Amino acid sequence: NKLTTLLEAEGNVKLLDKIADVVIESNKIFYLKNKEEIYTEGKSKALNGDNIQIDAGQYFRYNRLTSLLEAKGSVKLDDKNKKIIIYTNEITYLKNEERISTLGKTNIQVEDKYDIEGYNLTLLRNEMVLSSNEKATITDNNLNIYKLDQFYYLINPEILKGKKINIIRNEKNNEKDKYFFETGFIDLKKNEFLGKDI
């Protein structure tokens, strides 16, 4: 439609944005040229050159001017380079800032080492920092459990900072040690704690 500058495509559609290196696939895609907005209906998939794939059940909305991609409905984000998989119902990905935010209940798998369950999490891909101001539970592959009221996780050095931390450590002979810190730092690699009000 030349008056509204709306292009509508239906049936196994693939949209390729060569400048932003983004590919969007869906059964129904709309492109509003005057606003540089792309949105889909139904099951959709988006890929970018950084080996990130996002699948969504309801829709995508992508703004080419701001590089903001929104996805809703059983969303899965698979970051193959950083070895991070995110499952949530709603996600925003600000590509030019490499900032990924989830809305609502979220499950994140980090490098097959950690399973993180929480709400409203933010991942800064360039800094490799994951954080949330909401309650979260982190389980490592040794079945140690870290429950926090809020946290800030430096992924590469595996340093976890948090408030109101409950730790259940899985010790030898299936015995469990329990710790509580008002605030603290945990070196997950070395399994060492530094905390206040223990």
Side-chain angles (χ1 to χ4, degrees), residues 35-168:
K35 292 185 178 177
E36 290 296 341
E37 287 181 352
I38 297 154
Y39 50 98
T40 70
E41 274 184 15
K43 196 173 178 182
S44 307
K45 176 170 38 171
L47 306 145
N48 84 6
D50 293 331
N51 283 331
I52 293 178
Q53 178 175 323
I54 305 172
D55 295 283
Q58 281 182 274
Y59 70 80
F60 278 134
R61 189 175 296 131
Y62 174 58
N63 187 310
R64 293 185 70 218
L65 301 175
T66 61
S67 296
L68 178 66
L69 175 72
E70 299 172 66
K72 189 171 183 180
S74 300
V75 180
K76 177 186 176 187
L77 184 145
D78 188 355
D79 188 337
K80 292 174 176 52
N81 282 357
K82 307 287 186 180
K83 296 180 182 158
I84 295 171
I85 300 173
I86 301 173
Y87 299 93
T88 188
N89 194 51
E90 200 167 339
I91 204 164
T92 58
Y93 174 30
L94 194 52
K95 191 174 182 306
N96 56 2
E97 292 181 17
E98 290 299 337
R99 179 188 183 96
I100 298 165
S101 300
T102 71
L103 187 62
K105 190 174 180 182
T106 305
N107 183 284
I108 299 180
Q109 296 168 356
V110 180
E111 298 177 345
D112 293 327
K113 290 183 183 178
Y114 304 102
D115 186 51
I116 302 166
E117 291 181 24
Y119 295 84
N120 307 330
L121 284 92
T122 299
L123 172 66
L124 305 175
R125 285 187 76 238
N126 290 339
E127 291 87 5
M128 288 299 283
V129 171
L130 182 63
S131 64
S132 176
N133 290 324
E134 307 275 339
K135 290 185 178 186
T137 302
I138 300 171
T139 307
D140 67 19
N141 50 10
N142 293 321
L143 300 178
N144 296 313
I145 300 168
Y146 308 88
K147 293 184 178 186
L148 312 100
D149 272 14
Q150 64 184 60
F151 76 93
Y152 186 85
Y153 175 46
L154 302 164
I155 295 172
N156 289 335
E158 297 182 40
I159 302 292
L160 178 64
K161 301 176 189 178
K163 290 188 177 178
K164 297 197 185 302
I165 307 166
N166 283 293
I167 302 171
I168 302 169

Side-chain angles (χ1 to χ4, degrees), residues 147-195:
K147 293 184 178 186
L148 312 100
D149 272 14
Q150 64 184 60
F151 76 93
Y152 186 85
Y153 175 46
L154 302 164
I155 295 172
N156 289 335
E158 297 182 40
I159 302 292
L160 178 64
K161 301 176 189 178
K163 290 188 177 178
K164 297 197 185 302
I165 307 166
N166 283 293
I167 302 171
I168 302 169
R169 286 184 56 186
N170 198 18
E171 298 294 339
K172 296 175 186 171
N173 304 323
N174 284 335
E175 293 181 16
K176 297 189 184 301
D177 286 341
K178 294 181 182 180
Y179 303 89
F180 172 79
F181 302 92
E182 191 63 39
T183 59
F185 293 82
I186 303 162
D187 186 328
L188 295 171
K189 253 186 208 174
K190 296 178 183 174
N191 209 8
E192 294 177 349
F193 317 125
L194 177 63

